[in-house]
Amino acid sequence: MNIPFMRLDRQFEQHKDAIMALCEQVFSHGRVLQGPEVANLENQLCDLMGTTEAVAVGSATDALFFALIAAGIKSGDAVAVPAMTFVATASPVIRAGAKPVFVDTGDNFQPDVSQLIDLVNSGSVQAVVAAHLYGQLFDITPLADACRANGIVLIEDAAQGIGATYNGSAPGAQSFAASLSFDPMKVAGAFGSGGAIVTNNSAAAERIKRLRYHGRDKSRSYQELGYNSQLASIQAAIVGFKLEHLDEWTERRQQIARRYTAVLDEISSATPPLELPEARHVFHKYVLTAGADRDRLKKHLAAAGVGTMIHYASPLHREPMFAEYLNTESSFPEADRLSREALSLPMYPELDDTDVDHVCDQLTRFGW
Ligand SMILES: Cc1ncc(COP(=O)(O)O)c(C=O)c1O
């Protein structure tokens, strides 16, 4: 059997008619940039995320950069970021002229909230970028309270958290802004790059609308140095279509996750991801830890035709581009451990039951 880590081809096959109809719609009206589909998507995002504002941009990387600028982060500022995340949680901090200050991982793959709160309370950072990883949110409330009390900016990197909630609340509710990604691998991916900012701060939304298109305001006057970071109408239409299916697809992801977890629960040397009762886990990724068996398990699954990936094989403090921001005493033992032990299994709603049976079977057969 062959079960690739991702199957965008199967997704297209299953929804070809709807997707092609959307292409025809956009190409026929011709407003391929800033067409009505972009405003429609922004309205959909406000409904889904519970914010008053949403601004679609070219990628989540740009979204985070624009949020930092809109929050007033400037050259010389220090911004707390997790060490264990995708590079684009931290690179926009450098692009904004600021300095990333890394924190280790705490519970459940999420940033160590107590380390973040200590940095906030000690006045060592001007902002925090907190990433919610793999489709489950951590409890942002204690961190948001600390940031509010100290006048520190809190931005949520919710690239992987579209549709996820914690105690019913979505990213953006308690922070300055949250960034979302429509990268093709995400739960509502475009056929290309895309992202958005959601916020309840209308001034920030206006500023980000200017930044995404050359600094131009509503009166078409160029107010400041801006960028060209537009979400194409066709991508907005496709993401909008996928958001309409998000609940149904999330249920399928959860079913698959629970099947994997039922198998892994029986294996003492494997740890499945924890699904917190107060969280709605959308399973953007299914990340288990397999201790010292990880590399052997990856090879075993590859030999059985099961594609896996490692999120993340190299934490950011090990990447050359961040070396200049580390102190000699910096250490991130939990991020390092996860980089050695974590393994992501195939996770997409288009996996059929036979695929899932095969993955479960191979997990059972592995010589743990
Ligand atoms: C945690 C995290 N942050 C930021 C990004 C960047 O998203 P984009 O590819 O839309 O720029 C990603 C996407 O892979 C991500 O997973």
Side-chain angles (χ1 to χ4, degrees):
M1 275 189 94
N2 181 29
I3 305 172
F5 188 72
M6 260 322 270
R7 290 264 353 217
L8 292 179
D9 56 334
R10 199 182 268 184
Q11 189 188 62
F12 177 62
E13 205 47 51
Q14 288 180 6
H15 305 286
K16 196 175 195 165
D17 292 347
I19 291 169
M20 293 316 286
L22 291 171
C23 293
E24 187 163 357
Q25 172 190 308
V26 173
F27 298 156
S28 302
H29 68 55
R31 293 175 61 195
V32 295
L33 289 172
Q34 296 300 324
E37 293 78 10
V38 177
N40 290 345
L41 174 65
E42 291 172 341
N43 289 334
Q44 254 178 303
L45 289 171
C46 288
D47 287 347
L48 176 68
M49 307 299 292
T51 53
T52 54
E53 314 281 342
V55 185
V57 296
S59 67
T61 309
D62 282 355
L64 196 48
F65 172 58
F66 295 156
L68 287 161
I69 296 181
I73 295 306
K74 54 186 188 318
S75 181
D77 284 346
V79 180
V81 293
M84 175 53 89
T85 180
F86 184 61
V87 62
T89 303
S91 56
V93 170
I94 298 175
R95 198 171 154 202
K99 169 182 176 292
V101 177
F102 292 103
V103 300
D104 202 4
T105 307
D107 295 335
N108 217 11
F109 303 111
Q110 307 297 355
D112 185 329
V113 176
S114 56
Q115 281 188 20
L116 287 172
I117 291 177
D118 285 350
L119 286 172
V120 167
N121 287 339
S122 65
S124 327
V125 292
Q126 282 66 50
V128 174
V129 176
H132 299 280
L133 291 185
Y134 311 144
Q136 182 163 251
L137 308 184
F138 64 90
D139 184 5
I140 198 84
T141 302
L143 178 60
D145 289 347
C147 286
R148 207 172 300 111
N150 289 281
I152 299 299
V153 173
L154 173 61
I155 298 173
E156 291 170 89
D157 177 347
Q160 305 185 2
I162 297 178
T165 56
Y166 190 95
N167 283 335
S169 158
Q174 299 186 61
S175 54
F176 176 75
S179 50
L180 312 177
S181 175
F182 312 129
D183 165 84
M185 301 276 275
K186 299 295 190 287
V187 293
F191 286 90
S193 277
I197 275 289
V198 288
T199 179
N200 289 315
N201 183 321
S202 55
E206 276 315 305
R207 179 95 192 270
I208 293 169
K209 281 184 186 164
R210 287 208 310 253
L211 290 169
R212 78 175 165 187
Y213 193 70
H214 301 294
R216 194 171 76 180
D217 69 10
K218 280 184 186 153
S219 67
R220 303 179 80 80
S221 153
Y222 297 96
Q223 295 288 352
E224 63 176 317
L225 177 67
Y227 302 83
N228 183 1
S229 181
Q230 303 178 80
L231 182 68
S233 307
I234 182 68
Q235 304 296 5
I238 291 169
V239 171
F241 162 77
K242 292 192 180 180
L243 289 181
E244 283 166 15
H245 289 269
L246 195 59
D247 283 346
E248 172 197 334
W249 294 349
T250 299
E251 264 177 47
R252 177 66 186 149
R253 285 175 183 269
Q254 289 171 340
Q255 270 173 9
I256 297 166
R258 287 167 196 160
R259 289 217 40 214
Y260 290 160
T261 294
V263 172
L264 294 169
D265 272 341
E266 301 300 314
I267 298 165
S268 60
S269 41
T271 309
L274 191 64
E275 219 181 322
L276 300 170
E278 55 276 40
R280 180 181 191 236
H281 198 325
V282 296
F283 285 102
H284 160 61
K285 297 200 187 310
Y286 185 95
V287 184
L288 62 92
T289 53
D293 287 332
R294 195 273 309 273
D295 292 342
R296 228 168 27 87
L297 175 63
K298 185 170 176 38
K299 278 194 195 121
H300 166 84
L301 292 172
V306 178
T308 58
M309 283 185 74
I310 297 170
H311 296 97
Y312 294 92
S314 176
L316 301 187
H317 63 280
R318 304 236 164 246
E319 290 296 339
M321 79 176 272
F322 298 112
E324 66 184 281
Y325 302 102
L326 299 174
N327 301 321
T328 40
E329 71 275 16
S330 304
S331 80
F332 307 91
E334 185 62 5
D336 282 331
R337 181 186 73 82
L338 291 171
S339 71
R340 291 189 302 269
E341 299 187 1
L343 189 68
S344 306
L345 299 180
M347 172 51 75
Y348 37 96
E350 298 78 22
L351 283 170
D352 61 29
D353 287 344
T354 324
D355 297 329
V356 181
D357 288 345
H358 181 68
V359 178
C360 289
D361 194 36
Q362 290 304 325
L363 288 172
T364 309
R365 281 164 188 244
F366 175 63
W368 293 93

